[in-house]
Amino acid sequence: MPIFKYILSILLLASLQACGQIGNHQHQTINRMEYQKINNYKVKAAIEAWQDGNSKLWLSFFTTDVKLLDDGNLRDFKEFSTEALGHERFTTIDKAEDNGLSVYGHFHSDTWGDFKTYFKFHLDAEGKFNKLEIGQAHY
């Protein structure tokens, strides 16, 4: 019987270390991002760049004089992008409206925590985004 206890102990220890922690803890649920809800290919590509933290690709979708409104307040778009990319992200895409130009979902910010948000993209005549409205959503 001692060999059985030894093997059981090794198996138990190996299973506890597999997740990197020993003891009482919780695992974060990983959701598959539902990009297919966004039916505008430019918005979808921009959101994917945002999620990946790819600032060069993210910025390429916008005009040089893009306007950013954060809960209705004018902000510096490049400063926002530099500060937020890699530290803020959608955790779910719940819906898209306005022909895919408005995206709503749950959002995580390393600074502000978790909340529902929207990103509303506005296209200019050349097909670049010239305005982005972001803010806390109430849906």
Side-chain angles (χ1 to χ4, degrees), residues 14-29:
S15 69
L16 289 174
Q17 290 181 343
C19 66
Q21 296 181 8
I22 297 175
N24 187 13
H25 63 279
Q26 296 178 356
H27 291 277
Q28 180 180 0
T29 302

Side-chain angles (χ1 to χ4, degrees), residues 35-48 61 96-103 121-123 127 129:
Y35 294 115
Q36 73 274 10
K37 289 182 179 179
I38 306 170
N39 61 0
N40 182 297
Y41 75 94
K42 284 188 179 185
V43 171
K44 181 180 175 208
I47 292 289
E48 287 175 340
F61 290 102
E97 297 178 342
D98 306 320
N99 295 317
L101 292 171
S102 299
V103 177
F121 297 83
H122 299 264
L123 283 168
F129 300 123

Side-chain angles (χ1 to χ4, degrees), residues 32-101:
R32 185 171 165 260
M33 192 58 62
E34 295 188 31
Y35 294 115
Q36 73 274 10
K37 289 182 179 179
I38 306 170
N39 61 0
N40 182 297
Y41 75 94
K42 284 188 179 185
V43 171
K44 181 180 175 208
I47 292 289
E48 287 175 340
W50 175 268
Q51 294 292 107
D52 292 339
N54 186 335
S55 61
K56 184 176 180 178
L57 184 57
W58 167 256
L59 294 172
S60 74
F61 290 102
F62 296 89
T63 61
T64 56
D65 62 345
V66 59
K67 297 208 180 338
L68 172 66
L69 294 173
D70 186 349
D71 283 324
N73 300 305
L74 194 59
R75 286 189 58 193
D76 183 282
F77 175 78
K78 287 185 181 168
E79 182 180 300
F80 161 76
S81 296
T82 301
E83 292 172 358
L85 275 162
H87 302 284
E88 298 184 4
R89 65 203 154 278
F90 281 93
T91 56
T92 65
I93 302 292
D94 297 334
K95 63 180 178 175
E97 297 178 342
D98 306 320
N99 295 317
L101 292 171

Side-chain angles (χ1 to χ4, degrees), residues 28 83-89 91 107-115:
Q28 180 180 0
E83 292 172 358
L85 275 162
H87 302 284
E88 298 184 4
R89 65 203 154 278
T91 56
F107 200 74
H108 173 78
S109 166
D110 292 347
T111 303
W112 305 108
D114 299 301
F115 50 92

